């Protein structure tokens, strides 16, 4: 998938999930509504500085604007963190089962 298309798709997705109109995003990024619209139709592409402002306004890490859903699902979790998360989940399940059995 072309990187520009991925960026545009994610920009729209994150903008809409934040409930922002193009006008509101433009205000937060100190740019024009027309420019945001041109980015979203693929006519223009923002500078690195504007990408940073967009990511900040959307409260998302800038790199996520360039990742497909498949990419986001492939993120590696370090072994120690994974081990800790599994232990935490197992403890929570044990507590739930114990609670249900005692009622």
């Amino acid at each position: 998938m072309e990187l520009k298309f991925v960026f545009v798709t994610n920009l729209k997705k994150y903008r809409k999930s934040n409930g922002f109109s193009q006008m509101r995003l433009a205000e937060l990024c100190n740019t024009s509504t027309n420019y945001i619209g041109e980015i979203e139709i693929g006519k223009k592409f923002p500078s690195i500085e504007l990408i940073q402002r967009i990511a900040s306004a959307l409260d998302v890490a800038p790199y996520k604007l360039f990742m497909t859903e498949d990419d986001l699902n492939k993120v590696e979790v370090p072994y120690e963190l994974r081990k800790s998360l599994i232990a935490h989940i197992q403890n929570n399940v044990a507590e739930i089962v114990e609670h249900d059995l005692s009622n």
Side-chain angles (χ1 to χ4, degrees):
M1 191 179 303
E2 185 183 340
L3 194 56
K4 185 175 179 180
F5 177 78
V6 171
F7 177 84
V8 168
T9 300
N10 286 331
L11 171 60
K12 291 177 192 176
K13 176 183 78 174
Y14 288 117
R15 178 179 62 77
K16 290 176 182 179
S17 71
N18 277 287
F20 294 162
S21 64
Q22 288 180 347
M23 181 183 291
R24 180 64 182 141
L25 181 59
E27 290 169 356
L28 293 170
C29 296
N30 196 30
T31 193
S32 73
T33 304
N34 286 340
Y35 193 62
I36 295 294
E38 289 178 333
I39 293 169
E40 286 194 1
I41 62 171
K43 188 174 180 182
K44 302 274 181 155
F45 196 79
S47 66
I48 294 296
E49 291 80 14
L50 184 53
I51 290 171
Q52 289 176 321
R53 292 196 310 263
I54 288 170
S56 179
L58 297 175
D59 195 29
V60 64
Y63 73 89
K64 287 187 176 182
L65 293 170
F66 295 94
M67 296 181 74
T68 65
E69 287 297 320
D70 286 343
D71 293 336
L72 290 171
N73 292 330
K74 292 178 187 174
V75 174
E76 291 287 324
V77 177
Y79 174 76
E80 288 301 318
L81 178 57
R82 185 173 54 235
K83 186 175 158 183
S84 173
L85 289 171
I86 290 170
H88 185 70
I89 291 168
Q90 288 172 333
N91 287 337
N92 286 342
V93 169
E95 289 173 10
I96 291 168
V97 169
E98 185 179 314
H99 178 267
D100 286 349
L101 292 176
S102 67
N103 286 329

